[in-house]
Amino acid sequence: MKTFFLKFKQARLRTVLAGLAGALVLLLILYFSANRQPPLTAEEQLLVGEWEIAPDFPTRFFHADRSFERSDRDSVGTWKIKEGRLSITSWQPYKLPSSLSMAGLTRSLESIERSRKKSTEEMIISFSDKGQRFILDRKWEWSRKTDR
């Protein structure tokens, strides 16, 4: 009888230890995968929103989590502003096959390769009109998109 209870206690102890180890691993994964970005600066807060350069061109969405995307979904990426310079790292998103044809599958596979190629641009940014416009490299003027 003692051996049964001893084996039961040992099995219970192993179960508790395995549970604790699993919980520790889960906590470590959550800690290291958490997005711990510093809060947006006042200048970065001005950039959050949808912007357009001309009515016929795709707009840019700058999100508060420092991600961005074009309205035509041709590129996505991340952004940050540091010392008056906007830095954008972008790539083309993966596109699912449009059909099960060989051409559709080929385009989808090619998009995997393009989605791995990242490019980074850095430009001088300045805001005007109480944050309703910004200018990049003193050349391109973007306006906050408003519903027309």
Side-chain angles (χ1 to χ4, degrees), residues 1-130:
M1 204 53 144
K2 283 186 174 181
T3 59
F4 172 74
F5 286 119
L6 185 60
K7 287 182 181 178
F8 180 73
K9 285 182 180 179
Q10 288 174 342
R12 214 163 99 195
L13 180 62
R14 279 191 293 252
T15 303
V16 168
L17 288 175
L20 288 173
L24 178 63
V25 168
L26 182 62
L27 287 173
L28 287 172
I29 289 171
L30 289 173
Y31 176 77
F32 287 112
S33 65
N35 189 1
R36 294 182 300 275
Q37 293 184 4
L40 295 174
T41 64
E43 194 174 31
E44 288 175 326
Q45 289 176 9
L46 289 174
L47 188 59
V48 172
E50 184 176 7
W51 296 87
E52 63 184 351
I53 196 164
D56 296 335
F57 288 94
T59 60
R60 307 297 196 271
F61 297 90
F62 292 92
H63 302 285
D65 65 355
R66 292 186 177 92
S67 65
F68 93 95
E69 60 186 307
R70 280 177 38 163
S71 60
D72 62 2
R73 296 289 296 158
D74 190 43
S75 68
V76 296
T78 59
W79 63 272
K80 65 181 175 182
I81 297 176
K82 189 173 183 180
E83 298 175 5
R85 298 187 72 79
L86 172 64
S87 177
I88 296 178
T89 301
S90 62
W91 57 90
Q92 290 183 343
Y94 169 70
K95 293 187 169 109
L96 292 172
S98 56
S99 68
L100 294 178
S101 68
M102 191 56 120
L105 293 172
T106 301
R107 279 193 296 275
S108 181
L109 289 173
E110 289 170 351
S111 78
I112 292 173
E113 186 177 328
R114 285 192 304 271
S115 70
R116 292 182 183 170
K117 294 180 183 176
K118 295 183 178 183
S119 65
T120 301
E121 298 177 74
E122 194 169 292
M123 300 156 276
I124 298 170
I125 186 169
S126 59
F127 291 91
S128 64
D129 294 340
K130 297 180 184 174

